[in-house]
Amino acid sequence: MFIYFLAILGVLLYFILKHKHSYWTRRKIVQEKPRFLLGSVDKRIFKSGNPTQFVRDAYWNLKKKGVKHGGMYLFYTPIWIPIDLNLIKQILVTDYESFSSHGLYHHKNDFISENIFTKEGEEWKTLRSNLSPTFTPAKLKTMYDILYNFGHHLEAQIADSCSKRQAIRIRETTASYLTDVIAACFFGIEADRLKETKREFEHYGNVITQPRPLRLLLESLLSWNLLVSLGYNFFPKKVTHFFSKLIKEAVDAKERNNLKIRVRKDYLDIVMQLMKDGGHFSFEEVVANSTFMYIAGYETSTSALSYLMFELAKNQDVQNKLRSEILSIGNNNAKGEITYEDLSKMKYADMCITEILRCYPALPQLPRACTKEYRIPGTDQIIEKGTLTLIPIWAIQNDPDYFRNPTKFDPENMSSENKNSNVEDAWFAFGYGPRLCLGYKFAAMQIKIALLNYLRNYKYTLNDKTPENLTFDYDTILLCPA
């Protein structure tokens, strides 16, 4: 009898699981053929926890079937994949209120997880409203000198490598420059203090950006309330303690020196003012959002700039054209210096940056969660509240239907002649709609300043040890080279 019972139970479980994998079919939505237990993914997901490669596969498979959207499964979790550009724009703009959440883990009892990228609804709107003034052109101009001075340090590193006839590890030099910039602008660390804390800062920064496949799986499969009740933390407690201590020391130092607050006007100066003006900002919010700015500004810009230097080394004609633009702008100034206003004249640099983000978007798929029941336009198909949606940015931006020679780095893709026909519809590297990346102008500024110092006095070729074609590390949610 016990054996019969187990057999019946096994058959029943099989059909229950089979039923779960018919979720999209029952809603008359085309789906990727699921595997038993794994869904649309395979065993590689246990090594990375990142669905990037499976989302790309789903995009191409669904497009071959001629549909505008479809479904896949992360184990037994249904994921909706929109692929039609008009539908995607409707989701991100017109019907934004139905997809206003990124659907990523955050919890009020784990305060460092509560930042502008993860928050939702009215809380997000309030936070966005408070932080938006920190990235206006006027505020960026006040931070320009900080970035420009650190650019000279970057150029000194290159000169040292050249004098020693050493190959440049482009990601390391880029990361060092961006660590200086972000530590100064988002954590208020002065240059003399930075020398003492840089190694520790970089250590905890590396801890933050370490692959976290198990955590990603737990956050996608389990209730966040359950996770927190079990003692789960978004980052290790040492990370939260370090950045909290760093912010407190910086805030205390600035309050002791009011003159410096008026002079520098960096990001931390501005959010400190928000803390004072009627309590719009708590200390915990400052820590959470400063830490997020580090993650967003450091890793994404490091990758973008490293990819760009890699492609410039491979494409000498592009490198020469970009150098000519930089030298031309510098020659127009008496001291050869490039001002904040000069950055807007770097049109070819803009094309190069936009193109590199097309080829290698930092976030290969844009997450959204359905925040209220959504009827797909022109159909009777319903997307249920809570359904995770992944917009396959990397696949779209490498689709030959939208970009000529999409697998080749070609800044002319972003020329005024070509831009109107493709970029405005199929380029999502900074997101789109109300949740467009708040700091994208800051990111462009720090990349341009780095390019000035990389290219003003030097030319680059690939080292013999550098592969012509990159492979990628799928252990993080960002698109990083292996």
Side-chain angles (χ1 to χ4, degrees), residues 321-334:
K321 189 170 181 178
L322 181 54
R323 287 193 76 242
S324 294
E325 178 179 74
I326 290 169
L327 294 173
S328 174
I329 293 172
N331 289 338
N332 289 333
N333 295 332

Side-chain angles (χ1 to χ4, degrees), residues 105 218 222-233 237:
Y105 167 84
L218 286 174
L222 298 181
S223 158
W224 298 342
N225 285 331
L226 174 61
L227 285 174
V228 170
S229 70
L230 295 173
Y232 181 82
N233 292 292
K237 288 185 178 180

Side-chain angles (χ1 to χ4, degrees), residues 210-437:
Q210 280 295 309
R212 49 201 307 268
L214 180 58
R215 287 176 176 268
L216 287 171
L217 288 175
L218 286 174
E219 291 165 10
S220 65
L221 297 175
L222 298 181
S223 158
W224 298 342
N225 285 331
L226 174 61
L227 285 174
V228 170
S229 70
L230 295 173
Y232 181 82
N233 292 292
F234 188 63
F235 292 132
K237 288 185 178 180
K238 287 183 178 180
V239 171
T240 303
H241 174 74
F242 171 73
F243 284 108
S244 297
K245 181 171 177 283
L246 204 63
I247 292 288
K248 187 175 189 311
E249 289 175 353
V251 168
D252 289 346
K254 283 178 178 289
E255 287 180 340
R256 287 195 300 269
N257 191 345
N258 290 323
L259 176 62
K260 193 162 288 187
I261 290 178
R262 290 196 297 271
V263 171
R264 279 189 56 170
K265 283 295 176 187
D266 56 27
Y267 166 87
L268 191 59
D269 293 328
I270 296 161
V271 295
M272 281 177 62
Q273 198 61 47
L274 288 173
M275 290 171 64
K276 295 175 181 177
D277 292 344
H280 292 302
F281 236 45
S282 68
F283 175 75
E284 287 76 14
E285 283 181 301
V286 173
V287 174
N289 285 284
S290 296
T291 305
F292 170 72
M293 294 297 177
Y294 172 78
I295 300 168
Y298 170 81
E299 186 58 43
T300 58
S301 294
T302 297
S303 289
L305 191 49
S306 300
Y307 285 131
L308 181 50
M309 292 301 294
F310 169 75
E311 291 291 351
L312 292 175
K314 287 174 62 178
N315 297 273
Q316 291 293 311
D317 56 333
V318 178
Q319 183 181 161
N320 290 336
K321 189 170 181 178
L322 181 54
R323 287 193 76 242
S324 294
E325 178 179 74
I326 290 169
L327 294 173
S328 174
I329 293 172
N331 289 338
N332 289 333
N333 295 332
K335 296 182 179 179
E337 296 289 318
I338 292 181
T339 66
Y340 174 77
E341 288 74 20
D342 288 330
L343 294 184
S344 63
K345 301 173 186 175
M346 296 174 64
K347 302 300 184 184
Y348 193 66
D350 285 328
M351 289 165 59
C352 289
I353 294 168
T354 308
E355 172 68 356
I356 206 68
L357 290 170
R358 179 196 69 77
C359 296
Y360 310 103
L363 203 60
Q365 58 269 329
L366 185 63
R368 283 288 190 271
C370 186
T371 49
K372 59 183 179 181
E373 186 177 274
Y374 181 70
R375 183 182 296 276
I376 300 172
T379 75
D380 60 355
Q381 298 163 328
I382 299 295
I383 302 300
E384 290 187 311
K385 180 180 177 180
T387 302
L388 179 61
T389 300
L390 291 177
I391 297 168
I393 293 174
W394 194 18
I396 292 170
Q397 293 185 176
N398 283 270
D399 189 333
D401 282 351
Y402 309 125
F403 297 95
R404 57 198 188 114
N405 299 320
T407 58
K408 184 181 186 301
F409 170 74
D410 180 8
E412 294 305 320
N413 275 326
M414 305 300 156
S415 66
S416 56
E417 294 80 11
N418 294 316
K419 192 172 183 179
N420 290 336
S421 63
N422 50 43
V423 178
E424 293 180 359
D425 290 326
W427 193 88
F428 299 93
F430 285 121
Y432 200 84
R435 292 200 78 138
L436 179 72
C437 174

